[in-house]
Amino acid sequence: MAKKFIDVMDTSFRDGFQSVYGARVLMEDFFPAVEAAKEAGITHFEFGGGARFQSLYFYLNEDAFLMMDKFRAIVGKKANLQTLARGVNTVTLDTGSKELIDLHAKLFAKHGTTTIRNFDALNDVNNLKFSGECITKHGLKHEVVVTLMDLPPNCKGAHDVPFYERILKDILKAEIPFSSVCFKDASGTSNPNKIYETIKMARKNLPSDTHIRLHTHETAGVSIACYLAALEAGVDGIDLAAAPVSGGTSQPDILTMMHALKGKNYDLGGLEEDKILKYEEVLKDCLKDYFLPPEATMVNPLIPFSPMPGGALTANTQMMRDNNILDKFPQVIKAMREVVEKGGFGTSVTPVSQFYFQQAFNNVMFGEWKKIADGYGRMVLGYFGKTPVKPDPKVVELASKQLNLEPTTEPAINLADKDETKSLAYTQKILEKEGIEVNEENLFIAAACKEKGIAYLKGQTKVNVRKISTMPKAISADENRFTVAVNGNKYHVEVHSGFDKDVNIKSVKKINEDEKSNAVATNASDEAILAGISGNVFKIHINEGDEVKAGQVVMILEAMKMEIEVNAPRDGVIAELCVKTGDNISEEQVVAIYKK
């Protein structure tokens, strides 16, 4: 009896990069590995979409469309090249208008895509219908998705087999065109038995020739068991990755899965171990200079309690590492459980996973439920669609009050169409004002990436890649510099690192009056405005000499994909601005000084 052929999609160059390196890998660094994967016999790749769209413009100074064109040129015309889309969010964190959703499908078809996997984190079928129709209209294969996770203990009302059956039947009832169905568990928290029962349920409800896939992550340590259960239940395809972007927060390794299936009646993509070994050697060499965060290689037993997707986990820990607040990560993960429980049980996958993390982050940094994150607040208020169950009414009330928004039941896509700022005509005016060529690609880049897209198109994006060769040494120069106070006078002191037979002071410098603004003010509420959190200065709303009122927003920091306000603690006149746009600043750093 012939073995059943199981289609393998190699996720290394999209989800692998996102789950391990926060999506920040330069195209010329990994293209040799794409060639090696082709030589190894891989013909189905995930090559773009998801965070591997915005990240190229935000951090790499690269064009995602050009990357896709070059990828297609390497693998040839016959390869199945797949991207990830978020329903009405396409490849952004916000809802798009109908014309933007259509342009997304049109451009991705133009730039080498074969298949678009299309999901909605809330499993709101209304968010899948128009986007699925656009994908099909432009000649692409539409892989429609039901998103999965396990709920925290003692929670119920969604994310069981009857819930997934209802969603699947709603997709069929809505007559959404599709070529395949994927059950996608971005947090890797679904248990193997539920996976088995879900695939069996899908087989019962779908036409017999429907291609069914499972996508999961190793984050919770059960991915191989889930794939084995899915195969036993009749799944046709699974997603795997190659080392060093496999396992941990990413998909299981191709070689590991091949080993797990020895002696079983499955042909895993027609792949051969020796060829995959050679491919992985090339990929490891391509990525040898990239900093591999230790959490990316780990299984986290707490994830089933606070479902954090692998694709978001390392992106968030890396941002926390950049902002010197990684020590807060365990508290944030712990706080996520309550945020999920009160948020309406949207699946923890982008953008909802980011909303969960941001709200948990705010609860840790600013006090429980003191500051509602914009995305989380708009989600519980209904602006991204209908949540699987009703969110906690007290949280809804807080969100409505803080964001000054009323709850809504209007479809998300209709709300976007009513928003003039989400129209392509509005974006075109911005391009014209900035002197940027107006074409479809530039329109989509600007609409999807906002200010950062405009910065890229104007040639102002800085490359921000975490490479070992460019990272600070274990002991940086700043760690050898201190501010000391002697008899009321402050001095900058620099010392040599390491041990020496003599005390070796490199330099001592008294701080002049005009330098004191760089130190934390003794009485901050009277003398200075402090940053409440580490981050990047995104916008400054005041100038030196301006009069400000207590509570006034003086600047915006960008941290953890959020815009966080810095408010004036009292009335006064600004004598000095101590930071400028683009600066990285620390928690409690002085950002402005009041006039005495």
Side-chain angles (χ1 to χ4, degrees):
M1 180 178 175
K3 292 185 175 183
K4 179 180 179 179
F5 183 86
I6 303 300
D7 180 74
V8 173
M9 181 169 73
D10 184 350
T11 60
S12 302
F13 305 105
R14 205 290 301 172
D15 205 342
F17 285 172
Q18 181 177 335
S19 298
V20 175
Y21 299 116
R24 303 187 196 186
V25 181
L26 296 162
M27 70 173 90
E28 297 302 329
D29 287 343
F30 73 81
F31 278 158
V34 176
E35 182 68 44
K38 175 189 173 184
E39 294 299 317
I42 295 173
T43 59
H44 188 179
F45 297 88
E46 189 179 35
F47 84 131
R52 278 289 295 174
F53 184 82
Q54 286 184 325
S55 65
L56 272 69
Y57 302 104
F58 288 7
Y59 308 115
L60 305 182
N61 195 29
E62 290 185 345
D63 180 12
F65 295 121
L66 177 61
M67 183 277 294
M68 293 161 68
D69 291 341
K70 289 187 174 184
F71 199 114
R72 171 60 77 184
I74 294 171
V75 299
K77 295 181 179 179
K78 294 183 179 180
N80 182 0
L81 295 187
Q82 189 159 318
T83 61
L84 185 68
R86 304 164 183 148
V88 292
N89 300 89
T90 61
V91 289
T92 77
L93 297 178
D94 197 7
T95 307
S97 63
K98 286 183 178 178
E99 56 185 357
L100 185 70
I101 293 168
D102 185 69
L103 184 57
H104 161 259
K106 180 181 180 180
L107 289 176
F108 275 57
K110 176 182 176 181
H111 291 282
T113 305
T114 310
T115 305
I116 293 183
R117 175 178 289 173
N118 187 38
F119 73 91
D120 179 63
L122 299 180
N123 278 311
D124 185 340
V125 175
N126 289 324
N127 288 343
L128 295 172
K129 184 171 175 58
F130 182 75
S131 54
E133 290 169 349
C134 291
I135 290 166
T136 304
K137 180 182 77 173
H138 289 288
L140 297 163
K141 294 180 180 179
H142 178 217
E143 186 164 280
V144 72
V145 175
V146 177
T147 58
L148 317 179
M149 71 176 184
D150 264 16
L151 294 177
N154 302 316
C155 292
K156 59 183 179 180
H159 291 289
D160 52 17
V161 178
F163 172 75
Y164 299 138
E165 184 169 28
R166 177 172 66 80
I167 300 303
L168 188 59
K169 287 181 176 179
D170 285 347
I171 289 171
L172 296 172
K173 190 184 301 182
E175 298 183 343
I176 299 173
F178 62 84
S179 57
S180 56
V181 176
C182 177
F183 291 89
K184 176 180 171 64
D185 184 355
S187 60
T189 54
S190 295
N191 63 79
N193 182 65
K194 188 176 79 172
I195 291 294
Y196 176 84
E197 295 296 339
T198 298
I199 300 300
K200 293 290 282 187
M201 173 275 296
R203 274 277 167 244
K204 181 182 70 175
N205 284 282
L206 292 167
S208 59
D209 60 347
T210 304
H211 183 89
I212 301 176
R213 303 190 65 85
L214 176 66
H215 169 95
T216 190
H217 289 245
E218 177 60 5
T219 322
V222 293
S223 63
I224 295 293
C226 286
Y227 276 156
L228 291 172
L231 290 168
E232 187 179 345
V235 84
D236 300 299
I238 57 177
D239 296 353
L240 300 170
V245 291
S246 59
T249 53
S250 183
Q251 280 69 61
D253 192 272
I254 300 170
L255 290 170
T256 303
M257 196 68 212
M258 293 176 78
H259 184 65
L261 291 179
K262 287 176 179 175
K264 293 186 176 291
N265 200 36
Y266 303 107
D267 175 1
L268 199 61
L271 302 175
E272 300 175 25
E273 288 181 332
D274 288 343
K275 291 181 178 180
I276 297 299
L277 277 167
K278 290 181 181 178
Y279 157 40
E280 291 200 351
E281 288 174 2
V282 175
L283 183 57
K284 288 175 184 175
D285 186 64
C286 287
L287 301 174
K288 64 185 177 183
D289 194 27
Y290 283 82
F291 171 67
L292 184 66
E295 61 272 15
T297 64
M298 297 177 182
V299 166
N300 190 330
L302 296 180
I303 292 300
F305 299 88
S306 302
M308 183 78 246
L313 191 151
T314 48
N316 286 319
T317 56
Q318 287 283 56
M319 285 189 285
M320 295 182 85
R321 186 177 275 112
D322 290 345
N323 291 321
N324 298 314
I325 51 174
L326 187 58
D327 60 302
K328 299 289 195 301
F329 180 69
Q331 297 173 56
V332 175
I333 284 294
K334 186 177 180 180
M336 257 192 73
R337 177 172 176 172
E338 182 185 16
V339 169
V340 172
E341 291 175 353
K342 293 187 175 182
F345 296 158
T347 314
S348 194
V349 60
T350 307
V352 169
S353 58
Q354 196 62 29
F355 300 160
Y356 285 154
F357 191 87
Q358 289 169 345
Q359 188 57 56
F361 179 82
N362 282 0
N363 285 359
V364 169
M365 302 300 292
F366 303 111
E368 291 188 5
W369 305 105
K370 298 295 184 185
K371 182 176 177 60
I372 299 294
D374 182 74
Y376 185 84
R378 290 197 294 137
M379 177 187 72
V380 300
L381 290 170
Y383 286 83
F384 288 95
K386 184 180 179 181
T387 55
V389 302
K390 290 184 178 180
D392 183 277
K394 292 182 180 179
V395 171
V396 173
E397 185 180 354
L398 281 172
S400 180
K401 183 178 180 180
Q402 290 190 27
L403 303 184
N404 196 27
L405 288 172
E406 290 299 319
T408 183
T409 58
E410 189 169 358
I413 196 168
N414 291 355
L415 292 171
D417 269 347
K418 291 178 180 179
D419 187 343
E420 180 190 359
T421 66
K422 293 184 178 182
S423 70
L424 293 183
Y426 180 86
T427 303
Q428 181 172 334
K429 290 178 182 178
I430 295 175
L431 293 179
E432 291 171 346
K433 181 181 178 181
E434 297 289 346
I436 298 169
E437 179 186 354
V438 177
N439 57 45
E440 290 184 326
E441 283 81 358
N442 287 355
L443 277 170
F444 190 82
I445 292 166
C449 302
K450 307 295 189 235
E451 291 97 338
K452 291 183 179 180
I454 296 297
Y456 166 80
L457 293 171
K458 293 173 69 175
Q460 297 173 350
T461 300
K462 296 178 181 178
V463 176
N464 186 358
V465 179
R466 302 177 181 99
K467 288 193 175 185
I468 297 168
S469 60
T470 59
M471 291 176 69
K473 302 301 180 183
I475 298 178
S476 69
D478 286 342
E479 289 175 316
N480 301 324
R481 296 171 181 168
F482 304 90
T483 299
V484 298
V486 180
N487 296 330
N489 293 316
K490 289 185 177 180
Y491 299 85
H492 285 159
V493 179
E494 185 177 5
V495 300
H496 281 298
S497 61
F499 293 105
D500 200 346
K501 63 179 181 179
D502 300 312
V503 176
N504 195 344
I505 304 296
K506 290 178 67 177
S507 65
V508 177
K509 179 185 176 184
K510 185 176 179 179
I511 304 177
N512 297 322
E513 286 301 314
D514 59 356
E515 292 177 304
K516 285 185 179 178
S517 60
N518 292 322
V520 175
T522 304
N523 189 346
S525 62
D526 289 336
E527 298 181 21
I529 301 174
L530 308 182
I533 192 172
S534 299
N536 182 267
V537 179
F538 183 48
K539 295 178 181 176
I540 298 176
H541 294 311
I542 57 171
N543 296 303
E544 293 179 354
D546 284 357
E547 185 175 346
V548 298
K549 299 293 184 181
Q552 179 179 333
V553 178
V554 297
M555 63 184 65
I556 303 291
L557 304 183
E558 185 180 46
M560 311 310 299
K561 296 185 180 179
M562 292 186 288
E563 294 181 11
I564 298 173
E565 297 176 350
V566 178
N567 305 101
R570 65 170 176 85
D571 295 355
V573 176
I574 301 300
E576 179 184 359
L577 277 174
C578 306
V579 296
K580 61 182 182 299
T581 302
D583 283 355
N584 289 312
I585 63 173
S586 303
E587 183 180 357
E588 297 298 305
Q589 182 173 331
V590 173
V591 297
I593 302 291
Y594 282 110
K595 185 176 289 185
K596 293 182 179 179

